[in-house]
Structures are given as C-alpha cells and as structure tokens.
Amino acid sequence: MTDRYILAIDQGTTSSRCIVFDRRATVVALARAEHPQSYPQPGWVEHDAARVWRDVRKLITRALRDAGLTADKIAAIGIANQRETTVVWERATGRPVAPAIVWQDTRTAPLLDGLDPDVLRERTGLPPATYFSATKARWLLDSIPGLRSKADRGEVLFGTMDSWLIWNLTGGLHVTDVTNASRTQLMNLATLDWDPVLLDIFAIPRAMLPEIRSSAEVYGTADGLGVPIAAAIGDQQAALFGQTCFEPGDAKCTYGTGGFLLLNTGTTPVRSAHGLITTVGYRIGSQPPVFALEGSIAIAGSLVQWMRDGLGLIGTAAEIETLAATVTDNGGCYIVPAFSGLFAPHWRSDTRGVIVGLTSYVTKAHLARAVLEATAWQTRDVVDAMNADSGLALTTLNVDGGMTADNLLMQIVADVLDVPVARPMVAETVSLGAAYAAGLAVGYWSDPRDLRANRHRAGRWLPTMDPAKRATEHATWRRAIAAAVLFSSP
C-alpha cells in the first residue's frame, strides 16, 4: 500500500471534518465545515441531518482535492461521530422524518419516570438519562403520527450519526458499531446485541435498528469512490484509540463542546459505583471488545460559545484565554454550566446552571476565568469518581480537542487535578482514531502497538497550585454544585 492514505470523517456536534492521514499519522489535508444547532424550545437541541450529509459529501471532495489525491489513493475510510444524537429516516426515500435530536437535548426527561436504574445499569452500564438515544427514538415514535406503525413494518430506520452517514455513503447499508450501539441504551453489554428486554422497556421496534458490527472491519464500499468503509467508532472512543490508550489504566480527556474522560479497563467491564458510565471502548475485528469507564461533561467548549454568542462578552472563542489571563483568580465567582442538566458523576437532568459569588468586584475577566475553571472542576469531579471506581490514582491526563489550544485552561486543569496534563502533537485525535481503526481493518497498519511510534507530545503542564488553596477552591466548587441542585429543586 505504498503512497496510499486513510480518509477520516469526523462528524462532530458543531462541525464536520474530513482529514487525510498518511502512514505516519501526519495530516495531509483537512476540510472542515460548521453546521448550525437549532434550539426550538428550552432544552431542545436539533440538527439538520440532511445538511450534515450534504456537508460531509462536499468535504470528502474538498479533502481529496486539497491533498492532490484521487479516490484510488485512499486505502480506507473511517468514521467517527457524535454518539447519542438520534436520526430516524425513511427506508424508501432516505429522508429524515424529523430533525436529528442531539445528545444534549433534554426534552425526553418525562420518559425517565418509572425506569429501573438497576435494570438499565446491569444490562447497559448506563443510568437513566436524557443523554442516550433510546428515549429520543421513543419520543419521535410517540410524537409523529403514524411513525410507530411504519417502524413496526421496517419502513423507517433508526441510527446514530455513523449509521446515517454509512447509509448514505453506501446507498442503503444499515449498520452501526459496538461503541455507538452501547450508547443507545438498547444494547446488552454482555451479548453485544440488541436486548429484547430493553427494546420492550423503551418500546423500540427491532425492525428499525441497524446491525451491530465491530469498530474496525470492512462494512461496504462508498458509492462513486470505490473505497472500503472500514471503521465506525463513537467520537470519544475514537479519541481514546487515537491517543493509543490501548492498555488498562490509560486515560484521556477530550475537550470540545463537552468534556469526555475515558479510562481503558481492558476486556472486562467495570461497573461504576460512583456515577460513571460503563461503555465499550472499541472492538477490532473479531477480537474481544475493550471496555472503558467514562465520565461525560455536557458543557465545556459550549460554555465559551455562550460567552461569545449569548452574552457577547468576547468576539471569538480564542479571546477567552487572553481575557481570563488578565486576572489571577475568579474573584470569588463560580459558574456551574448545567445547561443540559448535570452529567457524570451527578446525573441530575433536572438541574440548571447557576452563577454564584457575584459581587460588584467581579468583572467580565473574572467571568472568563470562571468559565475555564468550570471545565477544570467538572473534570475533577469525574477524575475523583474514576479513581474510586478503578482503584487507581490517575498519574497523567492525556488531553485533546479544540479547547486544548487554550494553554491557560490546560494549566488550570493540571492545578485542579494535581497531575501533569499532556497534549499530543496531532490535535485531531478523534479523526486519527477513526483512521487508525480503518487502517487496521484493511492492513494499512499491522498492529495497534505499532501506532504508538506515531505519538509525539506537543505540550505538558505541571501542577503549581498550593494544596491548601486547591482544597479551599474545591470545597467552594462543591457548594456551587449544591446551590445549582437546590435552585432547580421544586
């Protein structure tokens, strides 16, 4: 496969990317397009799935053009995607029946009533939450007249964004991988198949569900390109793979729209007793699946976007670092950004965001600092739970994602966690994970361990905060969390 390349499609919450990688994991070309999010009602978050597909199709063409390549030079295509976002479309026409319901959406909260947390956790590793796909699909079936009868007949199909893209790329192949399936709350972690009990609980017809496959295998061929589609993997699991976290105890955190910390736990799932998610990390071909513990933070980079678009306090997202660096602390102000409820380890869908500690002393610079600190303290909550569940103490946090360009944020994270923070040379680790999985499936790379030779560190931050100050600020953060919960209680 001399002079051939891998094409990765990274379909994210706010944008889509197509990246061409060479054998050394060097980015040869990158094409990117933002897509809008719609907020038709409080708590509702939607995407235009048809537009997402049109954008991806254009980005593939642009990435190949910018790389100076024709399709025959591409060894395989790998897909990474926002995970729980739910699309239902017509089998005959390929048209979505409604806007895609995004993972951040909380409209399905009433459907959580009466769900047995023990049953869900035992079978799926997941708690009852609006985060996952099952209640989203149920809401669509209940809300659109005639849709349920069509679903029973297999006339409409359900999928996360990987399924939607593969369907369109191949002209009708309906599949998903184990990582995305594990986030629907419909797959049994033990069998890696759709669970009849869960389908009954959520009233989801099996006829509308995709076939579950491994994360790295050839699913089919992209129409018009003749290139094998050889990987699909949820974006955060893709980042774990791209960071080459192949050994139990390896951990990474991706800072994008949200924040997602995953810890490789090996081939045995670890059931969390501290509010984390047990999920499939990845599966290569017919090998045993690798599991992970995950802590999901709903609001990280999107809090910066809110500062920019909602409040108008900054002109660009990058300005927040400059503004926050003009002060040495948050002025006593803390922001709990529970715009979509509190995710791990709290799992309070009913909670809404609060700003506490406001005085006339607080300026927009202090607010900017509090925004960055909110991401760090939410990370601390997850790391504490992860250490307790795994019996291990995190020694280094590998980070990636757009927010890691903010050096001040990375220093704050190191200070709050009291561990070093390391950023790799290739920032596009989600895309790289999808590329690695696809390349392994077609023999472009021979062994996951060989991929570690491609990893090079671009930045490292060491903790410098006084331990007493860290303890005091952590206690204040916990009071802010309690205030958010109290404010949202009836």
Side-chain angles (χ1 to χ4, degrees):
M1 293 192 180
T2 305
D3 298 323
R4 299 189 75 188
Y5 304 83
I6 300 291
L7 175 65
I9 300 170
D10 175 4
Q11 196 290 304
T13 305
T14 59
S15 66
S16 297
R17 296 174 175 84
C18 285
I19 302 181
V20 178
F21 290 97
D22 66 13
R23 199 176 301 276
R24 295 183 178 179
T26 301
V27 174
V28 177
L30 187 157
R32 177 180 182 274
E34 290 192 6
H35 53 259
Q37 297 196 87
S38 175
Y39 305 93
Q41 297 184 38
W44 290 33
V45 189
E46 297 180 344
H47 285 164
D48 180 346
R51 171 174 173 161
V52 168
W53 160 237
R54 290 194 301 270
D55 285 350
V56 167
R57 187 170 52 191
K58 293 175 183 176
L59 290 174
I60 292 172
T61 301
R62 191 192 310 168
L64 292 177
R65 182 194 65 211
D66 291 350
L69 299 174
T70 52
D72 63 296
K73 292 295 184 180
I74 302 300
I77 295 173
I79 297 172
N81 60 288
Q82 52 169 321
R83 297 171 297 180
E84 298 81 5
T85 296
T86 299
V87 189
V88 175
W89 67 94
E90 296 175 341
R91 183 189 292 271
T93 66
R95 288 194 299 262
V97 303
I101 302 179
V102 179
W103 57 272
Q104 296 165 310
D105 191 287
T106 61
R107 77 183 70 178
T108 63
L111 296 179
L112 303 179
D113 295 341
L115 295 178
D116 187 330
D118 294 334
V119 170
L120 296 182
R121 282 195 175 275
E122 174 60 29
R123 292 176 179 269
T124 70
L126 311 175
T130 58
Y131 183 20
F132 308 111
S133 307
T135 61
K136 295 173 171 49
R138 168 71 181 270
W139 187 91
L140 289 168
L141 292 172
D142 290 347
S143 302
I144 299 177
L147 189 62
R148 179 169 293 282
S149 60
K150 291 181 179 179
D152 289 334
R153 296 191 297 269
E155 296 174 6
V156 294
L157 303 176
F158 155 84
T160 44
M161 280 294 185
D162 60 312
S163 296
W164 170 243
L165 293 179
I166 293 171
W167 168 272
N168 283 285
L169 282 165
T170 61
L173 182 64
H174 194 210
V175 300
T176 189
D177 92 300
V178 287
T179 66
N180 282 290
S182 75
R183 309 307 290 245
T184 62
Q185 210 155 47
L186 297 172
M187 188 193 84
N188 189 304
L189 279 182
T191 65
L192 302 184
D193 199 1
W194 304 119
D195 188 303
V197 172
L198 297 171
L199 297 182
D200 184 61
I201 288 172
F202 290 103
I204 305 295
R206 186 169 184 135
M208 70 186 305
L209 298 177
E211 178 187 358
I212 301 174
R213 308 276 285 272
S214 79
S215 309
E217 65 173 280
V218 175
Y219 308 131
T221 302
D223 287 352
L225 297 175
V227 178
I229 300 172
I233 185 167
D235 52 8
Q236 302 314 315
Q237 288 94 330
L240 187 76
F241 208 77
Q243 287 270 27
T244 65
C245 294
F246 300 139
E247 302 298 328
D250 289 347
K252 71 87 201 177
C253 190
T254 299
Y255 291 107
T257 303
F260 303 88
L261 202 158
L262 272 73
L263 173 75
N264 183 324
T265 62
T267 55
T268 301
V270 174
R271 304 290 179 171
S272 175
H274 297 86
L276 300 180
I277 290 169
T278 305
T279 192
V280 180
Y282 56 87
R283 188 183 191 190
I284 305 302
S286 60
Q287 296 177 19
V290 171
F291 295 90
L293 280 173
E294 177 177 336
S296 305
I297 301 166
I299 305 296
S302 53
L303 185 59
V304 177
Q305 293 175 323
W306 177 71
M307 280 274 291
R308 180 192 66 190
D309 302 333
L311 300 183
L313 295 180
I314 53 176
T316 66
E319 288 178 20
I320 196 163
E321 180 180 10
T322 303
L323 181 59
T326 63
V327 293
T328 58
D329 57 36
N330 60 20
C333 172
Y334 291 78
I335 300 176
V336 179
F339 296 170
S340 300
L342 289 171
F343 279 29
H346 311 285
W347 295 112
R348 291 291 301 262
S349 298
D350 57 334
T351 302
R352 293 295 174 263
V354 299
I355 302 176
V356 300
L358 287 178
T359 65
S360 57
Y361 171 75
V362 171
T363 66
K364 66 178 183 179
H366 294 109
L367 287 173
R369 182 114 187 170
V371 164
L372 299 184
E373 291 181 357
T375 292
W377 287 118
Q378 289 180 100
T379 305
R380 169 68 183 269
D381 287 347
V382 171
V383 168
D384 286 349
M386 198 162 280
N387 288 343
D389 274 332
S390 67
L392 303 170
L394 186 72
T395 57
T396 297
L397 182 64
N398 298 301
V399 298
D400 54 73
M403 291 188 79
T404 63
D406 189 324
N407 294 307
L408 177 58
L409 171 62
M410 294 299 96
Q411 183 60 56
I412 293 172
V413 171
D415 285 338
V416 163
L417 297 183
D418 195 24
V419 298
V421 170
R423 181 179 66 199
M425 187 71 72
V426 177
E428 302 288 349
T429 53
V430 170
S431 301
L432 183 57
Y436 279 163
L440 288 169
V442 298
Y444 186 82
W445 290 292
S446 59
D447 190 298
R449 291 169 294 187
D450 297 338
L451 302 177
R452 286 195 160 167
N454 293 331
R455 181 179 171 84
H456 303 284
R457 192 171 67 201
R460 189 168 186 254
W461 294 265
L462 301 176
T464 60
M465 181 181 283
D466 176 75
K469 181 180 180 182
R470 182 185 301 113
T472 298
E473 294 198 3
H474 185 218
T476 308
W477 166 256
R478 293 181 66 85
R479 290 198 298 273
I481 290 284
V485 173
L486 179 63
F487 172 78
S488 304
S489 299

Coordinates of all heavy atoms in Angstrom, one line a residue, residues 158-192:
F158 N -33.7 3.7 12.4 CA -33.1 4.5 13.4 C -31.6 4.3 13.4 O -31.1 3.3 13.1 CB -33.7 4.0 14.8 CG -32.7 4.3 15.9 CD1 -32.7 5.5 16.6 CD2 -31.8 3.3 16.4 CE1 -31.8 5.7 17.6 CE2 -31.0 3.5 17.4 CZ -31.0 4.8 18.1
G159 N -30.9 5.4 13.7 CA -29.5 5.3 13.8 C -28.9 6.5 14.5 O -29.5 7.6 14.5
T160 N -27.7 6.3 15.0 CA -26.8 7.5 15.4 C -26.1 7.9 14.1 O -26.3 7.4 13.0 CB -25.9 7.1 16.5 OG1 -25.3 5.8 16.2 CG2 -26.6 7.0 17.8
M161 N -25.3 9.0 14.2 CA -24.8 9.6 13.0 C -23.9 8.7 12.2 O -23.8 8.9 11.0 CB -24.0 10.9 13.4 CG -25.0 12.1 13.7 SD -25.8 12.6 12.2 CE -26.7 14.1 12.8
D162 N -23.3 7.7 12.8 CA -22.5 6.8 12.0 C -23.3 6.0 11.0 O -23.0 5.9 9.9 CB -21.7 5.9 12.9 CG -22.6 5.1 13.8 OD1 -23.5 5.6 14.4 OD2 -22.4 3.8 13.9
S163 N -24.5 5.5 11.6 CA -25.4 4.8 10.7 C -25.9 5.6 9.6 O -26.1 5.2 8.4 CB -26.6 4.2 11.5 OG -26.1 3.3 12.5
W164 N -26.3 6.9 9.9 CA -26.8 7.8 8.9 C -25.8 8.0 7.8 O -26.2 8.0 6.6 CB -27.2 9.1 9.6 CG -27.6 10.2 8.7 CD1 -26.9 11.4 8.6 CD2 -28.7 10.3 7.8 NE1 -27.5 12.3 7.7 CE2 -28.6 11.6 7.2 CE3 -29.7 9.5 7.4 CZ2 -29.5 12.0 6.3 CZ3 -30.6 9.9 6.5 CH2 -30.6 11.2 5.9
L165 N -24.6 8.3 8.1 CA -23.5 8.5 7.1 C -23.2 7.3 6.3 O -23.1 7.3 5.1 CB -22.3 9.0 7.8 CG -22.4 10.4 8.4 CD1 -21.0 10.8 9.0 CD2 -22.8 11.5 7.4
I166 N -23.1 6.1 7.0 CA -22.8 4.9 6.2 C -24.0 4.5 5.3 O -23.8 4.1 4.1 CB -22.6 3.7 7.2 CG1 -21.3 3.9 8.0 CG2 -22.5 2.4 6.5 CD1 -21.0 3.0 9.1
W167 N -25.2 4.7 5.7 CA -26.4 4.5 4.9 C -26.3 5.4 3.6 O -26.5 4.8 2.5 CB -27.7 4.9 5.6 CG -28.9 5.0 4.8 CD1 -29.4 6.1 4.1 CD2 -29.8 3.9 4.5 NE1 -30.5 5.8 3.4 CE2 -30.8 4.5 3.6 CE3 -29.9 2.6 4.8 CZ2 -31.9 3.7 3.1 CZ3 -31.0 1.8 4.4 CH2 -31.9 2.4 3.5
N168 N -25.9 6.6 3.7 CA -25.8 7.5 2.6 C -24.6 7.2 1.7 O -24.7 7.3 0.5 CB -25.8 9.0 3.0 CG -27.2 9.4 3.4 OD1 -28.1 9.7 2.6 ND2 -27.5 9.5 4.7
L169 N -23.5 6.9 2.4 CA -22.3 6.6 1.6 C -22.4 5.4 0.8 O -21.8 5.3 -0.3 CB -21.1 6.5 2.6 CG -20.5 7.8 3.1 CD1 -19.6 7.5 4.3 CD2 -19.7 8.5 2.1
T170 N -23.1 4.4 1.3 CA -23.1 3.1 0.6 C -24.4 2.9 -0.2 O -24.5 1.9 -0.9 CB -23.1 1.9 1.6 OG1 -24.2 2.0 2.5 CG2 -21.7 2.0 2.4
G171 N -25.4 3.8 -0.1 CA -26.6 3.6 -0.8 C -27.5 2.6 -0.2 O -28.3 2.0 -0.8
G172 N -27.5 2.5 1.2 CA -28.5 1.7 1.8 C -28.0 0.6 2.8 O -28.9 -0.2 3.2
L173 N -26.8 0.6 3.2 CA -26.3 -0.3 4.2 C -26.6 0.2 5.6 O -26.2 1.3 6.0 CB -24.8 -0.5 4.1 CG -24.1 -1.5 5.0 CD1 -24.7 -2.9 4.8 CD2 -22.6 -1.5 4.9
H174 N -27.3 -0.6 6.4 CA -27.8 -0.1 7.7 C -27.0 -0.8 8.8 O -27.4 -1.9 9.3 CB -29.3 -0.3 7.9 CG -29.9 0.4 9.0 ND1 -31.0 -0.1 9.7 CD2 -29.6 1.6 9.6 CE1 -31.3 0.8 10.7 NE2 -30.5 1.8 10.6
V175 N -25.9 -0.2 9.3 CA -25.1 -0.8 10.3 C -24.7 0.2 11.3 O -24.8 1.4 11.1 CB -23.8 -1.5 9.7 CG1 -24.2 -2.6 8.7 CG2 -22.9 -0.5 9.1
T176 N -24.2 -0.2 12.5 CA -23.6 0.6 13.5 C -22.5 -0.2 14.1 O -22.3 -1.4 13.8 CB -24.6 1.1 14.5 OG1 -24.0 2.1 15.4 CG2 -25.0 0.0 15.4
D177 N -21.6 0.4 14.9 CA -20.6 -0.3 15.6 C -20.9 -0.4 17.1 O -21.9 0.2 17.6 CB -19.2 0.3 15.4 CG -18.9 1.3 16.5 OD1 -19.6 2.3 16.7 OD2 -17.9 1.0 17.2
V178 N -20.2 -1.3 17.8 CA -20.5 -1.6 19.2 C -20.4 -0.3 20.1 O -21.1 -0.2 21.1 CB -19.6 -2.7 19.8 CG1 -20.0 -4.0 19.2 CG2 -18.1 -2.4 19.5
T179 N -19.5 0.6 19.8 CA -19.3 1.8 20.6 C -20.5 2.7 20.6 O -21.0 3.1 21.6 CB -18.0 2.6 20.3 OG1 -18.2 3.2 19.0 CG2 -16.8 1.7 20.3
N180 N -21.0 2.9 19.4 CA -22.2 3.7 19.2 C -23.5 3.0 19.7 O -24.3 3.6 20.4 CB -22.4 4.1 17.7 CG -21.5 5.2 17.3 OD1 -21.7 6.4 17.7 ND2 -20.5 4.9 16.5
A181 N -23.5 1.7 19.5 CA -24.7 0.9 19.9 C -24.7 0.9 21.5 O -25.8 0.9 22.1 CB -24.6 -0.6 19.4
S182 N -23.6 0.9 22.1 CA -23.5 0.9 23.6 C -24.0 2.2 24.2 O -24.3 2.2 25.4 CB -22.1 0.6 24.1 OG -21.3 1.7 23.9
R183 N -24.2 3.2 23.3 CA -24.7 4.5 23.9 C -26.2 4.7 23.6 O -26.7 5.8 23.9 CB -23.9 5.6 23.3 CG -22.4 5.4 23.4 CD -22.0 5.2 24.9 NE -22.2 6.4 25.6 CZ -21.2 7.0 26.2 NH1 -20.0 6.5 26.2 NH2 -21.5 8.1 26.9
T184 N -26.8 3.8 22.9 CA -28.3 3.9 22.7 C -29.1 3.6 23.9 O -30.2 3.9 24.0 CB -28.7 3.0 21.5 OG1 -28.5 1.6 21.9 CG2 -27.9 3.3 20.3
Q185 N -28.5 2.8 24.8 CA -29.2 2.2 26.0 C -30.2 1.1 25.5 O -31.1 0.7 26.2 CB -30.0 3.3 26.8 CG -30.1 2.9 28.3 CD -30.3 4.1 29.2 OE1 -31.1 5.0 28.9 NE2 -29.5 4.2 30.2
L186 N -29.8 0.5 24.4 CA -30.6 -0.6 23.9 C -29.8 -1.9 23.7 O -30.3 -3.0 23.4 CB -31.3 -0.3 22.5 CG -32.3 0.9 22.6 CD1 -32.7 1.3 21.2 CD2 -33.5 0.5 23.4
M187 N -28.4 -1.7 23.8 CA -27.5 -2.9 23.6 C -27.1 -3.5 24.9 O -26.8 -2.8 25.9 CB -26.3 -2.5 22.8 CG -25.4 -3.6 22.4 SD -23.8 -3.2 21.8 CE -22.9 -3.0 23.3
N188 N -27.1 -4.8 25.0 CA -26.7 -5.5 26.2 C -25.1 -5.6 26.2 O -24.6 -6.1 25.2 CB -27.3 -6.9 26.2 CG -27.1 -7.6 27.5 OD1 -25.9 -7.8 28.0 ND2 -28.2 -8.0 28.2
L189 N -24.5 -5.2 27.2 CA -23.0 -5.2 27.2 C -22.5 -6.6 27.2 O -21.3 -6.8 26.8 CB -22.5 -4.5 28.5 CG -22.4 -3.0 28.5 CD1 -21.8 -2.5 29.8 CD2 -21.6 -2.5 27.3
A190 N -23.2 -7.6 27.7 CA -22.7 -9.0 27.8 C -22.8 -9.6 26.4 O -21.9 -10.4 26.0 CB -23.5 -9.7 28.8
T191 N -23.9 -9.4 25.7 CA -24.1 -10.1 24.4 C -23.7 -9.2 23.2 O -23.5 -9.8 22.1 CB -25.6 -10.4 24.2 OG1 -26.4 -9.2 24.1 CG2 -26.2 -11.2 25.4
L192 N -23.5 -7.9 23.4 CA -23.2 -7.0 22.3 C -24.2 -7.1 21.2 O -23.9 -6.9 20.0 CB -21.8 -7.3 21.7 CG -20.6 -7.2 22.7 CD1 -19.3 -7.5 21.9 CD2 -20.6 -5.9 23.4

